Amino acid sequence: VLLTALSRVVSTFPDTYLLLVGEGPERARLVAQQDQLDISGNMRFLGHTDYTKIPALLAAADIYVFPSLSEGMPRSVLEAMAMELPVVSSRVDGIGEVIETGKNGLLVQPGDDAELSRALVTVLGDPNIARDLGTKARDFILDNYEFEAQILKLARLHRETVNRIA
């Protein structure tokens, strides 16, 4: 889905470059698809990447794309949001709990490469949209996942529980 979307994106933004982080059983098929779509010059497979290198990769990125077909709450999306990156993701399971489309990220239908490419072109084509989505993503993380905020939520939950029992 992502590679097909990328092939559409580069027709509008030919300098777009995708770094694909991670390793898995689909790599050979993806390499073949990359060649078939003629996007070899627009992407690189990084394979397994040591976790200590992820912050630098996120800092170098303009967009974080997460086109999963099925997912819980991926930590990588939260990390990208914390790094103030605009996130374009599939609308699956737990992701909808943190991303409100058009507010702090963009959500697309899982498996829809055309919708994914349109969302990417939207973010790439307007730096103000990209900046606004990234800023609001980071604000969301600070408000909801920052350590002190989590401690306050836990304390509130404990108080509510004690009050119900008492």
Side-chain angles (χ1 to χ4, degrees), residues 43-70:
M43 64 178 294
R44 184 167 155 211
F45 291 90
L46 296 180
H48 175 75
T49 302
D50 187 83
Y51 186 75
T52 60
K53 296 181 180 176
I54 299 300
L57 290 171
L58 290 173
D62 295 317
I63 301 173
Y64 185 81
V65 186
F66 196 82
S68 182
L69 299 176
S70 173

PDB file of all heavy atoms in Angstrom, residues 43-70:
ATOM      1  N   MET A  43      13.532   5.614  -2.385  1.00  0.00           N
ATOM      2  CA  MET A  43      13.377   4.938  -1.100  1.00  0.00           C
ATOM      3  C   MET A  43      14.578   4.074  -0.764  1.00  0.00           C
ATOM      4  O   MET A  43      15.381   3.741  -1.625  1.00  0.00           O
ATOM      5  CB  MET A  43      12.099   4.107  -1.072  1.00  0.00           C
ATOM      6  CG  MET A  43      12.043   2.969  -2.053  1.00  0.00           C
ATOM      7  SD  MET A  43      10.524   2.015  -1.884  1.00  0.00           S
ATOM      8  CE  MET A  43      10.722   1.306  -0.273  1.00  0.00           C
ATOM      9  N   ARG A  44      14.636   3.727   0.514  1.00  0.00           N
ATOM     10  CA  ARG A  44      15.707   2.861   0.991  1.00  0.00           C
ATOM     11  C   ARG A  44      15.172   1.997   2.117  1.00  0.00           C
ATOM     12  O   ARG A  44      14.475   2.486   3.014  1.00  0.00           O
ATOM     13  CB  ARG A  44      16.856   3.729   1.494  1.00  0.00           C
ATOM     14  CG  ARG A  44      18.045   2.927   1.917  1.00  0.00           C
ATOM     15  CD  ARG A  44      19.246   3.815   2.092  1.00  0.00           C
ATOM     16  NE  ARG A  44      20.146   3.164   3.041  1.00  0.00           N
ATOM     17  CZ  ARG A  44      20.933   3.804   3.847  1.00  0.00           C
ATOM     18  NH1 ARG A  44      20.975   5.116   3.853  1.00  0.00           N
ATOM     19  NH2 ARG A  44      21.707   3.149   4.666  1.00  0.00           N
ATOM     20  N   PHE A  45      15.510   0.719   2.081  1.00  0.00           N
ATOM     21  CA  PHE A  45      15.171  -0.199   3.152  1.00  0.00           C
ATOM     22  C   PHE A  45      16.297  -0.161   4.172  1.00  0.00           C
ATOM     23  O   PHE A  45      17.420  -0.536   3.869  1.00  0.00           O
ATOM     24  CB  PHE A  45      15.016  -1.627   2.606  1.00  0.00           C
ATOM     25  CG  PHE A  45      13.821  -1.821   1.742  1.00  0.00           C
ATOM     26  CD1 PHE A  45      13.903  -1.619   0.375  1.00  0.00           C
ATOM     27  CD2 PHE A  45      12.610  -2.205   2.289  1.00  0.00           C
ATOM     28  CE1 PHE A  45      12.797  -1.806  -0.440  1.00  0.00           C
ATOM     29  CE2 PHE A  45      11.499  -2.388   1.495  1.00  0.00           C
ATOM     30  CZ  PHE A  45      11.587  -2.184   0.125  1.00  0.00           C
ATOM     31  N   LEU A  46      16.007   0.275   5.372  1.00  0.00           N
ATOM     32  CA  LEU A  46      17.025   0.335   6.408  1.00  0.00           C
ATOM     33  C   LEU A  46      17.140  -0.972   7.180  1.00  0.00           C
ATOM     34  O   LEU A  46      18.126  -1.193   7.872  1.00  0.00           O
ATOM     35  CB  LEU A  46      16.743   1.478   7.384  1.00  0.00           C
ATOM     36  CG  LEU A  46      16.795   2.884   6.788  1.00  0.00           C
ATOM     37  CD1 LEU A  46      16.504   3.919   7.864  1.00  0.00           C
ATOM     38  CD2 LEU A  46      18.126   3.155   6.124  1.00  0.00           C
ATOM     39  N   GLY A  47      16.128  -1.821   7.092  1.00  0.00           N
ATOM     40  CA  GLY A  47      16.152  -3.082   7.822  1.00  0.00           C
ATOM     41  C   GLY A  47      16.049  -2.843   9.320  1.00  0.00           C
ATOM     42  O   GLY A  47      15.610  -1.787   9.779  1.00  0.00           O
ATOM     43  N   HIS A  48      16.485  -3.860  10.074  1.00  0.00           N
ATOM     44  CA  HIS A  48      16.477  -3.723  11.530  1.00  0.00           C
ATOM     45  C   HIS A  48      17.382  -2.557  11.907  1.00  0.00           C
ATOM     46  O   HIS A  48      18.522  -2.477  11.459  1.00  0.00           O
ATOM     47  CB  HIS A  48      16.958  -5.002  12.205  1.00  0.00           C
ATOM     48  CG  HIS A  48      17.078  -4.854  13.688  1.00  0.00           C
ATOM     49  ND1 HIS A  48      15.982  -4.834  14.512  1.00  0.00           N
ATOM     50  CD2 HIS A  48      18.160  -4.660  14.478  1.00  0.00           C
ATOM     51  CE1 HIS A  48      16.384  -4.651  15.763  1.00  0.00           C
ATOM     52  NE2 HIS A  48      17.698  -4.543  15.761  1.00  0.00           N
ATOM     53  N   THR A  49      16.858  -1.655  12.714  1.00  0.00           N
ATOM     54  CA  THR A  49      17.603  -0.461  13.101  1.00  0.00           C
ATOM     55  C   THR A  49      17.632  -0.386  14.614  1.00  0.00           C
ATOM     56  O   THR A  49      16.585  -0.482  15.266  1.00  0.00           O
ATOM     57  CB  THR A  49      16.928   0.799  12.523  1.00  0.00           C
ATOM     58  OG1 THR A  49      16.864   0.652  11.091  1.00  0.00           O
ATOM     59  CG2 THR A  49      17.704   2.050  12.854  1.00  0.00           C
ATOM     60  N   ASP A  50      18.802  -0.224  15.158  1.00  0.00           N
ATOM     61  CA  ASP A  50      18.951  -0.116  16.601  1.00  0.00           C
ATOM     62  C   ASP A  50      18.085   1.029  17.126  1.00  0.00           C
ATOM     63  O   ASP A  50      18.042   2.110  16.543  1.00  0.00           O
ATOM     64  CB  ASP A  50      20.430   0.134  16.956  1.00  0.00           C
ATOM     65  CG  ASP A  50      20.649   0.080  18.452  1.00  0.00           C
ATOM     66  OD1 ASP A  50      20.800  -1.026  18.989  1.00  0.00           O
ATOM     67  OD2 ASP A  50      20.661   1.166  19.078  1.00  0.00           O
ATOM     68  N   TYR A  51      17.405   0.757  18.230  1.00  0.00           N
ATOM     69  CA  TYR A  51      16.475   1.734  18.793  1.00  0.00           C
ATOM     70  C   TYR A  51      17.144   3.079  19.091  1.00  0.00           C
ATOM     71  O   TYR A  51      16.503   4.115  18.985  1.00  0.00           O
ATOM     72  CB  TYR A  51      15.830   1.157  20.066  1.00  0.00           C
ATOM     73  CG  TYR A  51      14.760   2.052  20.620  1.00  0.00           C
ATOM     74  CD1 TYR A  51      13.522   2.131  19.992  1.00  0.00           C
ATOM     75  CD2 TYR A  51      14.981   2.844  21.737  1.00  0.00           C
ATOM     76  CE1 TYR A  51      12.531   2.968  20.467  1.00  0.00           C
ATOM     77  CE2 TYR A  51      13.999   3.682  22.219  1.00  0.00           C
ATOM     78  CZ  TYR A  51      12.778   3.738  21.583  1.00  0.00           C
ATOM     79  OH  TYR A  51      11.808   4.579  22.041  1.00  0.00           O
ATOM     80  N   THR A  52      18.417   3.058  19.407  1.00  0.00           N
ATOM     81  CA  THR A  52      19.100   4.320  19.732  1.00  0.00           C
ATOM     82  C   THR A  52      19.215   5.239  18.517  1.00  0.00           C
ATOM     83  O   THR A  52      19.449   6.440  18.681  1.00  0.00           O
ATOM     84  CB  THR A  52      20.511   4.047  20.292  1.00  0.00           C
ATOM     85  OG1 THR A  52      21.271   3.345  19.305  1.00  0.00           O
ATOM     86  CG2 THR A  52      20.442   3.239  21.581  1.00  0.00           C
ATOM     87  N   LYS A  53      19.034   4.700  17.316  1.00  0.00           N
ATOM     88  CA  LYS A  53      19.124   5.513  16.099  1.00  0.00           C
ATOM     89  C   LYS A  53      17.781   6.100  15.669  1.00  0.00           C
ATOM     90  O   LYS A  53      17.727   6.967  14.801  1.00  0.00           O
ATOM     91  CB  LYS A  53      19.723   4.684  14.972  1.00  0.00           C
ATOM     92  CG  LYS A  53      21.152   4.277  15.258  1.00  0.00           C
ATOM     93  CD  LYS A  53      21.741   3.487  14.141  1.00  0.00           C
ATOM     94  CE  LYS A  53      23.189   3.136  14.555  1.00  0.00           C
ATOM     95  NZ  LYS A  53      23.831   2.300  13.594  1.00  0.00           N
ATOM     96  N   ILE A  54      16.707   5.637  16.270  1.00  0.00           N
ATOM     97  CA  ILE A  54      15.365   6.082  15.874  1.00  0.00           C
ATOM     98  C   ILE A  54      15.158   7.581  16.084  1.00  0.00           C
ATOM     99  O   ILE A  54      14.621   8.250  15.197  1.00  0.00           O
ATOM    100  CB  ILE A  54      14.274   5.251  16.585  1.00  0.00           C
ATOM    101  CG1 ILE A  54      14.401   3.772  16.203  1.00  0.00           C
ATOM    102  CG2 ILE A  54      12.885   5.794  16.298  1.00  0.00           C
ATOM    103  CD1 ILE A  54      14.262   3.463  14.730  1.00  0.00           C
ATOM    104  N   PRO A  55      15.564   8.168  17.226  1.00  0.00           N
ATOM    105  CA  PRO A  55      15.358   9.619  17.374  1.00  0.00           C
ATOM    106  C   PRO A  55      15.995  10.444  16.254  1.00  0.00           C
ATOM    107  O   PRO A  55      15.383  11.406  15.771  1.00  0.00           O
ATOM    108  CB  PRO A  55      15.985   9.932  18.735  1.00  0.00           C
ATOM    109  CG  PRO A  55      15.856   8.648  19.498  1.00  0.00           C
ATOM    110  CD  PRO A  55      16.081   7.576  18.465  1.00  0.00           C
ATOM    111  N   ALA A  56      17.172  10.069  15.805  1.00  0.00           N
ATOM    112  CA  ALA A  56      17.827  10.807  14.719  1.00  0.00           C
ATOM    113  C   ALA A  56      17.056  10.643  13.410  1.00  0.00           C
ATOM    114  O   ALA A  56      16.933  11.606  12.636  1.00  0.00           O
ATOM    115  CB  ALA A  56      19.267  10.337  14.560  1.00  0.00           C
ATOM    116  N   LEU A  57      16.531   9.451  13.163  1.00  0.00           N
ATOM    117  CA  LEU A  57      15.739   9.243  11.951  1.00  0.00           C
ATOM    118  C   LEU A  57      14.458  10.065  11.992  1.00  0.00           C
ATOM    119  O   LEU A  57      14.076  10.686  10.992  1.00  0.00           O
ATOM    120  CB  LEU A  57      15.405   7.762  11.770  1.00  0.00           C
ATOM    121  CG  LEU A  57      16.577   6.860  11.409  1.00  0.00           C
ATOM    122  CD1 LEU A  57      16.171   5.394  11.483  1.00  0.00           C
ATOM    123  CD2 LEU A  57      17.106   7.207  10.030  1.00  0.00           C
ATOM    124  N   LEU A  58      13.809  10.087  13.146  1.00  0.00           N
ATOM    125  CA  LEU A  58      12.593  10.898  13.276  1.00  0.00           C
ATOM    126  C   LEU A  58      12.906  12.377  13.126  1.00  0.00           C
ATOM    127  O   LEU A  58      12.151  13.127  12.497  1.00  0.00           O
ATOM    128  CB  LEU A  58      11.907  10.625  14.619  1.00  0.00           C
ATOM    129  CG  LEU A  58      11.252   9.250  14.765  1.00  0.00           C
ATOM    130  CD1 LEU A  58      10.764   9.041  16.186  1.00  0.00           C
ATOM    131  CD2 LEU A  58      10.120   9.068  13.763  1.00  0.00           C
ATOM    132  N   ALA A  59      14.020  12.821  13.690  1.00  0.00           N
ATOM    133  CA  ALA A  59      14.406  14.228  13.590  1.00  0.00           C
ATOM    134  C   ALA A  59      14.683  14.627  12.140  1.00  0.00           C
ATOM    135  O   ALA A  59      14.464  15.783  11.761  1.00  0.00           O
ATOM    136  CB  ALA A  59      15.625  14.505  14.463  1.00  0.00           C
ATOM    137  N   ALA A  60      15.130  13.696  11.326  1.00  0.00           N
ATOM    138  CA  ALA A  60      15.433  13.989   9.926  1.00  0.00           C
ATOM    139  C   ALA A  60      14.190  13.928   9.037  1.00  0.00           C
ATOM    140  O   ALA A  60      14.226  14.395   7.901  1.00  0.00           O
ATOM    141  CB  ALA A  60      16.481  13.009   9.415  1.00  0.00           C
ATOM    142  N   ALA A  61      13.102  13.370   9.545  1.00  0.00           N
ATOM    143  CA  ALA A  61      11.897  13.150   8.738  1.00  0.00           C
ATOM    144  C   ALA A  61      11.030  14.400   8.663  1.00  0.00           C
ATOM    145  O   ALA A  61      11.046  15.255   9.555  1.00  0.00           O
ATOM    146  CB  ALA A  61      11.090  11.994   9.330  1.00  0.00           C
ATOM    147  N   ASP A  62      10.241  14.463   7.599  1.00  0.00           N
ATOM    148  CA  ASP A  62       9.242  15.526   7.446  1.00  0.00           C
ATOM    149  C   ASP A  62       7.844  15.019   7.784  1.00  0.00           C
ATOM    150  O   ASP A  62       6.983  15.795   8.175  1.00  0.00           O
ATOM    151  CB  ASP A  62       9.238  16.052   6.006  1.00  0.00           C
ATOM    152  CG  ASP A  62      10.539  16.740   5.653  1.00  0.00           C
ATOM    153  OD1 ASP A  62      11.058  17.505   6.490  1.00  0.00           O
ATOM    154  OD2 ASP A  62      11.041  16.505   4.541  1.00  0.00           O
ATOM    155  N   ILE A  63       7.625  13.728   7.606  1.00  0.00           N
ATOM    156  CA  ILE A  63       6.322  13.093   7.848  1.00  0.00           C
ATOM    157  C   ILE A  63       6.590  11.694   8.387  1.00  0.00           C
ATOM    158  O   ILE A  63       7.560  11.049   8.008  1.00  0.00           O
ATOM    159  CB  ILE A  63       5.500  12.950   6.546  1.00  0.00           C
ATOM    160  CG1 ILE A  63       5.246  14.298   5.894  1.00  0.00           C
ATOM    161  CG2 ILE A  63       4.168  12.251   6.818  1.00  0.00           C
ATOM    162  CD1 ILE A  63       4.588  14.179   4.528  1.00  0.00           C
ATOM    163  N   TYR A  64       5.688  11.225   9.243  1.00  0.00           N
ATOM    164  CA  TYR A  64       5.735   9.837   9.686  1.00  0.00           C
ATOM    165  C   TYR A  64       4.512   9.148   9.089  1.00  0.00           C
ATOM    166  O   TYR A  64       3.380   9.584   9.289  1.00  0.00           O
ATOM    167  CB  TYR A  64       5.717   9.752  11.211  1.00  0.00           C
ATOM    168  CG  TYR A  64       5.889   8.340  11.708  1.00  0.00           C
ATOM    169  CD1 TYR A  64       7.149   7.766  11.784  1.00  0.00           C
ATOM    170  CD2 TYR A  64       4.792   7.570  12.068  1.00  0.00           C
ATOM    171  CE1 TYR A  64       7.324   6.463  12.212  1.00  0.00           C
ATOM    172  CE2 TYR A  64       4.958   6.269  12.506  1.00  0.00           C
ATOM    173  CZ  TYR A  64       6.224   5.727  12.570  1.00  0.00           C
ATOM    174  OH  TYR A  64       6.391   4.432  12.995  1.00  0.00           O
ATOM    175  N   VAL A  65       4.746   8.052   8.376  1.00  0.00           N
ATOM    176  CA  VAL A  65       3.657   7.331   7.718  1.00  0.00           C
ATOM    177  C   VAL A  65       3.526   5.955   8.362  1.00  0.00           C
ATOM    178  O   VAL A  65       4.513   5.235   8.505  1.00  0.00           O
ATOM    179  CB  VAL A  65       3.929   7.167   6.204  1.00  0.00           C
ATOM    180  CG1 VAL A  65       2.719   6.555   5.519  1.00  0.00           C
ATOM    181  CG2 VAL A  65       4.287   8.500   5.578  1.00  0.00           C
ATOM    182  N   PHE A  66       2.292   5.603   8.724  1.00  0.00           N
ATOM    183  CA  PHE A  66       2.035   4.321   9.375  1.00  0.00           C
ATOM    184  C   PHE A  66       0.798   3.686   8.735  1.00  0.00           C
ATOM    185  O   PHE A  66      -0.312   3.808   9.250  1.00  0.00           O
ATOM    186  CB  PHE A  66       1.829   4.555  10.877  1.00  0.00           C
ATOM    187  CG  PHE A  66       1.931   3.296  11.679  1.00  0.00           C
ATOM    188  CD1 PHE A  66       3.168   2.786  12.044  1.00  0.00           C
ATOM    189  CD2 PHE A  66       0.800   2.609  12.061  1.00  0.00           C
ATOM    190  CE1 PHE A  66       3.273   1.621  12.779  1.00  0.00           C
ATOM    191  CE2 PHE A  66       0.886   1.437  12.801  1.00  0.00           C
ATOM    192  CZ  PHE A  66       2.131   0.941  13.156  1.00  0.00           C
ATOM    193  N   PRO A  67       0.991   2.999   7.595  1.00  0.00           N
ATOM    194  CA  PRO A  67      -0.156   2.464   6.854  1.00  0.00           C
ATOM    195  C   PRO A  67      -0.544   1.038   7.245  1.00  0.00           C
ATOM    196  O   PRO A  67      -0.850   0.211   6.394  1.00  0.00           O
ATOM    197  CB  PRO A  67       0.341   2.526   5.414  1.00  0.00           C
ATOM    198  CG  PRO A  67       1.800   2.241   5.546  1.00  0.00           C
ATOM    199  CD  PRO A  67       2.234   2.888   6.849  1.00  0.00           C
ATOM    200  N   SER A  68      -0.545   0.740   8.513  1.00  0.00           N
ATOM    201  CA  SER A  68      -0.835  -0.611   8.984  1.00  0.00           C
ATOM    202  C   SER A  68      -2.259  -1.036   8.636  1.00  0.00           C
ATOM    203  O   SER A  68      -3.176  -0.218   8.589  1.00  0.00           O
ATOM    204  CB  SER A  68      -0.640  -0.656  10.501  1.00  0.00           C
ATOM    205  OG  SER A  68      -0.857  -1.954  10.979  1.00  0.00           O
ATOM    206  N   LEU A  69      -2.438  -2.328   8.433  1.00  0.00           N
ATOM    207  CA  LEU A  69      -3.771  -2.873   8.179  1.00  0.00           C
ATOM    208  C   LEU A  69      -4.455  -3.305   9.463  1.00  0.00           C
ATOM    209  O   LEU A  69      -5.670  -3.421   9.529  1.00  0.00           O
ATOM    210  CB  LEU A  69      -3.681  -4.052   7.214  1.00  0.00           C
ATOM    211  CG  LEU A  69      -3.101  -3.719   5.837  1.00  0.00           C
ATOM    212  CD1 LEU A  69      -2.969  -4.984   4.995  1.00  0.00           C
ATOM    213  CD2 LEU A  69      -3.951  -2.679   5.135  1.00  0.00           C
ATOM    214  N   SER A  70      -3.666  -3.547  10.513  1.00  0.00           N
ATOM    215  CA  SER A  70      -4.201  -3.988  11.801  1.00  0.00           C
ATOM    216  C   SER A  70      -3.177  -3.630  12.863  1.00  0.00           C
ATOM    217  O   SER A  70      -1.990  -3.918  12.711  1.00  0.00           O
ATOM    218  CB  SER A  70      -4.425  -5.499  11.762  1.00  0.00           C
ATOM    219  OG  SER A  70      -4.790  -5.967  13.033  1.00  0.00           O
TER     220      SER A  70
END
